Amino acid sequence: MKRVALAAFVVACDPSGSASSPDATLDSTMGCDLPALAAPWLAPELHDAIGALAVPRATISERSAARTWLAQRLTALGWSPEVQSYAGGANVVATIPSTTGSTDQLIVGAHFDTVAGSPGANDDASGVAVVLAVAHYLADTPCRTPNVVVAFFDQEEGLFGSRALAQRLVADGAVVRAVHTVDQVAWDGDHDRVIELEQPTSALAAAYRAAAEVVGVPVSVVGTGGTDHVSFRDEGFPAIGITEEYAGGDTSPYRHTAQDTAATVDEAYLALATQLVAHVITSATR
Protein backbone atom coordinates (compact mmCIF):
# COMPACT_ATOMS: atom_id res chain seq x y z
CA MET A 1 0.00 0.00 0.00
CA LYS A 2 1.51 3.33 -1.10
CA ARG A 3 0.39 6.56 0.53
CA VAL A 4 0.60 10.30 -0.14
CA ALA A 5 -0.33 13.57 1.58
CA LEU A 6 -1.50 12.66 5.05
CA ALA A 7 -4.18 14.85 6.58
CA ALA A 8 -5.11 15.35 10.21
CA PHE A 9 -7.62 12.87 11.57
CA VAL A 10 -10.60 13.29 13.85
CA VAL A 11 -12.24 10.46 15.77
CA ALA A 12 -15.77 10.41 14.45
CA CYS A 13 -17.43 7.79 16.60
CA ASP A 14 -16.94 6.62 20.16
CA PRO A 15 -18.77 3.36 20.79
CA SER A 16 -18.62 3.51 24.59
CA GLY A 17 -21.83 2.09 25.94
CA SER A 18 -23.86 2.93 22.83
CA ALA A 19 -23.27 0.07 20.44
CA SER A 20 -25.84 -2.64 19.98
CA SER A 21 -24.59 -6.22 19.94
CA PRO A 22 -23.33 -7.48 16.58
CA ASP A 23 -24.54 -10.93 17.61
CA ALA A 24 -28.14 -9.96 16.99
CA THR A 25 -29.81 -10.05 13.59
CA LEU A 26 -30.21 -6.43 12.65
CA ASP A 27 -33.28 -4.46 11.71
CA SER A 28 -35.17 -5.11 8.50
CA THR A 29 -36.51 -3.01 5.67
CA MET A 30 -39.23 -4.23 3.30
CA GLY A 31 -39.00 -7.67 4.89
CA CYS A 32 -35.30 -8.12 4.11
CA ASP A 33 -33.31 -8.92 7.23
CA LEU A 34 -29.62 -8.11 7.35
CA PRO A 35 -27.37 -11.09 8.11
CA ALA A 36 -26.02 -11.41 11.64
CA LEU A 37 -22.57 -9.84 11.76
CA ALA A 38 -21.13 -12.26 14.33
CA ALA A 39 -21.55 -15.21 11.98
CA PRO A 40 -19.98 -18.49 13.17
CA TRP A 41 -18.06 -18.85 9.93
CA LEU A 42 -16.40 -15.42 10.12
CA ALA A 43 -13.33 -16.05 12.29
CA PRO A 44 -12.30 -19.33 10.61
CA GLU A 45 -12.79 -17.92 7.12
CA LEU A 46 -10.68 -14.85 7.87
CA HIS A 47 -7.99 -17.06 9.40
CA ASP A 48 -8.00 -19.43 6.44
CA ALA A 49 -7.84 -16.62 3.89
CA ILE A 50 -4.86 -15.01 5.59
CA GLY A 51 -3.12 -18.37 5.85
CA ALA A 52 -3.69 -19.21 2.20
CA LEU A 53 -2.65 -15.82 0.84
CA ALA A 54 0.30 -14.96 3.07
CA VAL A 55 2.90 -15.84 0.45
CA PRO A 56 4.59 -13.45 -1.99
CA ARG A 57 2.23 -12.39 -4.77
CA ALA A 58 4.46 -10.21 -6.93
CA THR A 59 5.74 -12.21 -9.90
CA ILE A 60 3.59 -13.20 -12.85
CA SER A 61 3.33 -16.79 -11.65
CA GLU A 62 2.63 -15.78 -8.02
CA ARG A 63 -0.14 -13.41 -9.05
CA SER A 64 -1.61 -16.05 -11.35
CA ALA A 65 -1.73 -18.53 -8.48
CA ALA A 66 -3.46 -15.95 -6.30
CA ARG A 67 -6.06 -15.29 -9.02
CA THR A 68 -6.78 -19.02 -9.28
CA TRP A 69 -7.30 -19.27 -5.53
CA LEU A 70 -9.58 -16.21 -5.48
CA ALA A 71 -11.68 -17.57 -8.34
CA GLN A 72 -12.06 -20.87 -6.49
CA ARG A 73 -13.15 -19.11 -3.30
CA LEU A 74 -15.75 -16.99 -5.11
CA THR A 75 -17.08 -20.07 -6.90
CA ALA A 76 -17.38 -21.91 -3.59
CA LEU A 77 -19.49 -19.03 -2.29
CA GLY A 78 -21.86 -19.41 -5.24
CA TRP A 79 -20.68 -16.50 -7.36
CA SER A 80 -19.28 -16.52 -10.91
CA PRO A 81 -15.80 -14.96 -11.06
CA GLU A 82 -14.33 -13.40 -14.18
CA VAL A 83 -10.68 -12.65 -14.86
CA GLN A 84 -10.53 -9.22 -16.50
CA SER A 85 -7.20 -8.75 -18.23
CA TYR A 86 -5.50 -5.47 -19.05
CA ALA A 87 -2.02 -4.67 -20.33
CA GLY A 88 0.34 -6.08 -17.71
CA GLY A 89 -2.08 -7.78 -15.36
CA ALA A 90 -5.59 -8.99 -14.57
CA ASN A 91 -8.25 -8.39 -11.93
CA VAL A 92 -10.64 -10.99 -10.53
CA VAL A 93 -14.23 -9.74 -10.49
CA ALA A 94 -17.59 -11.26 -9.61
CA THR A 95 -20.97 -9.56 -9.92
CA ILE A 96 -23.43 -10.50 -7.19
CA PRO A 97 -26.71 -9.81 -8.96
CA SER A 98 -29.50 -7.51 -7.92
CA THR A 99 -32.65 -9.30 -6.82
CA THR A 100 -34.82 -6.43 -8.11
CA GLY A 101 -33.53 -6.07 -11.67
CA SER A 102 -31.62 -2.87 -10.95
CA THR A 103 -28.62 -2.09 -13.15
CA ASP A 104 -26.92 0.09 -10.51
CA GLN A 105 -23.62 -1.15 -9.14
CA LEU A 106 -21.92 -1.05 -5.77
CA ILE A 107 -18.20 -1.88 -5.80
CA VAL A 108 -16.21 -3.42 -2.94
CA GLY A 109 -12.61 -4.42 -3.55
CA ALA A 110 -9.05 -4.97 -2.36
CA HIS A 111 -5.71 -5.55 -4.06
CA PHE A 112 -4.30 -9.08 -4.04
CA ASP A 113 -0.71 -8.42 -5.13
CA THR A 114 2.34 -7.75 -2.97
CA VAL A 115 5.73 -6.17 -3.42
CA ALA A 116 8.55 -8.59 -4.22
CA GLY A 117 9.65 -10.74 -1.30
CA SER A 118 6.79 -9.86 1.03
CA PRO A 119 4.07 -12.34 2.04
CA GLY A 120 1.71 -9.39 2.42
CA ALA A 121 -0.45 -10.84 5.19
CA ASN A 122 -1.57 -7.35 6.18
CA ASP A 123 -0.81 -5.64 2.86
CA ASP A 124 -3.19 -6.77 1.57
CA ALA A 125 -4.34 -10.29 2.32
CA SER A 126 -6.27 -8.65 5.15
CA GLY A 127 -8.28 -6.53 2.72
CA VAL A 128 -8.86 -9.52 0.46
CA ALA A 129 -10.13 -11.51 3.44
CA VAL A 130 -12.60 -8.74 4.27
CA VAL A 131 -13.96 -8.61 0.72
CA LEU A 132 -14.33 -12.39 0.53
CA ALA A 133 -16.24 -12.28 3.81
CA VAL A 134 -18.51 -9.55 2.41
CA ALA A 135 -19.22 -11.86 -0.54
CA HIS A 136 -20.23 -14.52 1.99
CA TYR A 137 -22.49 -12.13 3.92
CA LEU A 138 -24.16 -11.20 0.63
CA ALA A 139 -24.96 -14.85 0.02
CA ASP A 140 -27.02 -14.60 3.21
CA THR A 141 -28.70 -11.33 2.15
CA PRO A 142 -32.13 -12.08 0.65
CA CYS A 143 -32.69 -8.72 -1.04
CA ARG A 144 -30.11 -6.79 -3.03
CA THR A 145 -31.23 -3.68 -4.88
CA PRO A 146 -27.96 -2.81 -6.66
CA ASN A 147 -25.61 -5.33 -8.19
CA VAL A 148 -22.58 -5.74 -5.94
CA VAL A 149 -19.28 -6.04 -7.79
CA VAL A 150 -16.65 -7.83 -5.73
CA ALA A 151 -13.24 -6.95 -7.14
CA PHE A 152 -9.68 -8.05 -6.45
CA PHE A 153 -7.20 -5.64 -8.00
CA ASP A 154 -3.83 -6.51 -9.49
CA GLN A 155 -0.76 -4.25 -9.29
CA GLU A 156 -1.78 -1.78 -6.60
CA GLU A 157 1.69 -0.27 -6.71
CA GLY A 158 0.92 2.12 -9.55
CA LEU A 159 -2.84 1.55 -9.24
CA PHE A 160 -2.88 -0.33 -12.53
CA GLY A 161 -5.57 -2.87 -11.68
CA SER A 162 -7.99 -0.50 -9.99
CA ARG A 163 -7.52 2.08 -12.72
CA ALA A 164 -8.29 -0.57 -15.36
CA LEU A 165 -11.57 -1.44 -13.63
CA ALA A 166 -12.50 2.21 -13.11
CA GLN A 167 -11.94 2.97 -16.78
CA ARG A 168 -13.93 -0.12 -17.78
CA LEU A 169 -16.87 1.10 -15.68
CA VAL A 170 -16.72 4.48 -17.43
CA ALA A 171 -16.59 2.83 -20.85
CA ASP A 172 -19.59 0.67 -19.95
CA GLY A 173 -21.58 3.69 -18.78
CA ALA A 174 -22.07 2.00 -15.41
CA VAL A 175 -24.18 3.68 -12.75
CA VAL A 176 -22.01 3.23 -9.65
CA ARG A 177 -23.51 4.15 -6.31
CA ALA A 178 -20.21 3.95 -4.42
CA VAL A 179 -16.83 2.25 -4.36
CA HIS A 180 -15.35 0.81 -1.16
CA THR A 181 -11.72 -0.38 -1.14
CA VAL A 182 -10.01 -2.12 1.78
CA ASP A 183 -6.23 -1.96 2.26
CA GLN A 184 -4.42 -3.06 5.45
CA VAL A 185 -6.88 -3.69 8.27
CA ALA A 186 -5.03 -6.15 10.52
CA TRP A 187 -2.69 -4.11 12.76
CA ASP A 188 -3.80 -2.42 15.97
CA GLY A 189 -0.71 -1.99 18.08
CA ASP A 190 -2.31 0.26 20.71
CA HIS A 191 -5.54 -1.80 20.83
CA ASP A 192 -7.81 1.24 20.48
CA ARG A 193 -9.68 -0.44 17.55
CA VAL A 194 -9.70 2.77 15.47
CA ILE A 195 -10.46 2.26 11.77
CA GLU A 196 -9.70 5.04 9.32
CA LEU A 197 -12.03 6.23 6.55
CA GLU A 198 -10.00 7.61 3.67
CA GLN A 199 -11.44 10.53 1.69
CA PRO A 200 -15.11 9.56 2.04
CA THR A 201 -17.98 11.59 0.66
CA SER A 202 -20.24 12.98 3.37
CA ALA A 203 -22.79 10.25 2.66
CA LEU A 204 -20.20 7.48 2.92
CA ALA A 205 -18.76 8.95 6.11
CA ALA A 206 -22.26 8.99 7.61
CA ALA A 207 -22.88 5.37 6.59
CA TYR A 208 -19.66 4.20 8.24
CA ARG A 209 -20.29 6.22 11.39
CA ALA A 210 -23.71 4.58 11.71
CA ALA A 211 -22.20 1.13 11.14
CA ALA A 212 -19.44 1.88 13.68
CA GLU A 213 -22.08 2.38 16.36
CA VAL A 214 -23.53 -1.03 15.57
CA VAL A 215 -20.19 -2.85 15.47
CA GLY A 216 -18.67 -0.96 18.39
CA VAL A 217 -15.54 0.58 16.91
CA PRO A 218 -14.23 4.14 16.67
CA VAL A 219 -13.70 5.53 13.18
CA SER A 220 -11.79 8.56 11.98
CA VAL A 221 -11.99 10.47 8.71
CA VAL A 222 -8.61 11.11 7.08
CA GLY A 223 -7.31 12.58 3.85
CA THR A 224 -4.88 9.84 2.84
CA GLY A 225 -4.73 8.68 -0.75
CA GLY A 226 -2.37 6.73 -2.96
CA THR A 227 -4.25 3.42 -2.91
CA ASP A 228 -7.05 1.91 -4.99
CA HIS A 229 -9.95 4.16 -4.03
CA VAL A 230 -8.16 7.05 -5.76
CA SER A 231 -8.55 5.39 -9.18
CA PHE A 232 -12.33 5.49 -8.91
CA ARG A 233 -12.54 9.00 -7.51
CA ASP A 234 -10.39 10.19 -10.41
CA GLU A 235 -13.08 8.85 -12.78
CA GLY A 236 -15.85 10.67 -10.92
CA PHE A 237 -17.21 7.84 -8.77
CA PRO A 238 -17.93 8.34 -5.04
CA ALA A 239 -15.29 6.28 -3.24
CA ILE A 240 -13.84 5.52 0.18
CA GLY A 241 -10.80 3.64 1.46
CA ILE A 242 -10.92 1.57 4.66
CA THR A 243 -7.67 1.03 6.55
CA GLU A 244 -6.04 0.65 9.95
CA GLU A 245 -4.77 3.74 11.73
CA TYR A 246 -2.23 4.82 9.11
CA ALA A 247 -2.63 8.57 9.52
CA GLY A 248 -2.90 8.09 13.28
CA GLY A 249 0.52 6.45 13.41
CA ASP A 250 -0.62 2.97 14.43
CA THR A 251 0.09 0.96 11.30
CA SER A 252 2.10 -2.19 10.68
CA PRO A 253 5.87 -1.66 10.84
CA TYR A 254 6.26 -4.71 8.58
CA ARG A 255 4.66 -3.25 5.46
CA HIS A 256 6.59 -4.20 2.30
CA THR A 257 8.93 -6.52 4.21
CA ALA A 258 9.43 -10.25 4.62
CA GLN A 259 8.03 -9.91 8.14
CA ASP A 260 4.49 -9.08 6.95
CA THR A 261 3.37 -12.57 7.91
CA ALA A 262 0.23 -14.21 9.26
CA ALA A 263 1.82 -14.18 12.71
CA THR A 264 1.58 -10.37 12.82
CA VAL A 265 -2.13 -10.23 11.96
CA ASP A 266 -4.56 -9.13 14.69
CA GLU A 267 -7.47 -11.38 13.77
CA ALA A 268 -9.86 -9.87 16.32
CA TYR A 269 -9.30 -6.39 14.89
CA LEU A 270 -9.62 -7.79 11.36
CA ALA A 271 -12.99 -9.28 12.30
CA LEU A 272 -14.22 -5.90 13.54
CA ALA A 273 -13.12 -4.21 10.30
CA THR A 274 -14.92 -6.94 8.37
CA GLN A 275 -18.13 -6.45 10.32
CA LEU A 276 -17.92 -2.69 9.76
CA VAL A 277 -17.59 -3.00 5.98
CA ALA A 278 -20.14 -5.80 5.80
CA HIS A 279 -22.76 -3.80 7.67
CA VAL A 280 -22.30 -0.81 5.35
CA ILE A 281 -22.44 -2.93 2.19
CA THR A 282 -25.39 -5.11 3.19
CA SER A 283 -27.33 -2.08 4.43
CA ALA A 284 -26.65 -0.26 1.16
CA THR A 285 -28.07 -3.13 -0.88
CA ARG A 286 -31.56 -2.78 0.56
Side-chain angles (χ1 to χ4, degrees), residues 55-59 62-63 113-120 157 256-258:
V55 293
R57 305 180 300 280
T59 67
E62 290 167 350
R63 286 154 47 213
D113 63 308
T114 68
V115 298
S118 176
E157 298 295 332
H256 291 185
T257 74

Side-chain angles (χ1 to χ4, degrees), residues 199-280:
Q199 300 184 7
T201 63
S202 59
L204 287 170
Y208 274 90
R209 288 188 178 109
E213 292 183 358
V214 173
V215 175
V217 294
V219 296
S220 60
V221 173
V222 300
T224 47
T227 189
D228 292 307
H229 61 88
V230 173
S231 297
F232 298 93
R233 189 175 296 101
D234 286 349
E235 296 294 344
F237 299 118
I240 183 173
I242 310 304
T243 190
E244 63 204 25
E245 207 172 356
Y246 184 87
D250 183 22
T251 192
S252 174
Y254 305 119
R255 181 174 69 96
H256 291 185
T257 74
Q259 287 71 51
D260 186 5
T261 66
T264 69
V265 166
D266 184 335
E267 293 190 4
Y269 178 72
L270 175 60
L272 290 172
T274 304
Q275 291 176 350
L276 179 70
V277 177
H279 182 55
V280 172

Side-chain angles (χ1 to χ4, degrees), residues 35-50:
L37 294 176
W41 52 262
L42 179 60
E45 283 200 13
L46 293 174
H47 178 82
D48 290 349
I50 295 293

Side-chain angles (χ1 to χ4, degrees), residues 181-207:
T181 70
V182 190
D183 195 350
Q184 291 191 203
V185 283
W187 180 271
D188 184 27
D190 60 10
H191 306 294
D192 65 0
R193 302 192 300 175
V194 171
I195 296 170
E196 291 185 347
L197 313 177
E198 299 179 318
Q199 300 184 7
T201 63
S202 59
L204 287 170

Side-chain angles (χ1 to χ4, degrees), residues 31-130:
C32 295
D33 290 338
L34 294 178
L37 294 176
W41 52 262
L42 179 60
E45 283 200 13
L46 293 174
H47 178 82
D48 290 349
I50 295 293
L53 287 169
V55 293
R57 305 180 300 280
T59 67
I60 291 173
S61 61
E62 290 167 350
R63 286 154 47 213
S64 177
R67 279 190 289 268
T68 298
W69 186 87
L70 288 167
Q72 290 171 344
R73 287 300 305 138
L74 289 168
T75 300
L77 290 169
W79 310 126
S80 300
E82 174 188 358
V83 175
Q84 296 181 351
S85 298
Y86 61 89
N91 299 323
V92 179
V93 177
T95 298
I96 298 173
S98 167
T99 58
T100 68
S102 172
T103 58
D104 290 4
Q105 297 185 25
L106 183 67
I107 316 294
V108 57
H111 75 88
F112 67 84
D113 63 308
T114 68
V115 298
S118 176
N122 190 28
D123 186 15
D124 185 32
S126 65
V128 170
V130 169

Side-chain angles (χ1 to χ4, degrees), residues 12-54:
C13 174
D14 183 347
S16 301
S18 63
S20 59
S21 170
D23 292 306
T25 299
L26 302 175
D27 62 332
S28 60
T29 299
M30 299 190 305
C32 295
D33 290 338
L34 294 178
L37 294 176
W41 52 262
L42 179 60
E45 283 200 13
L46 293 174
H47 178 82
D48 290 349
I50 295 293
L53 287 169

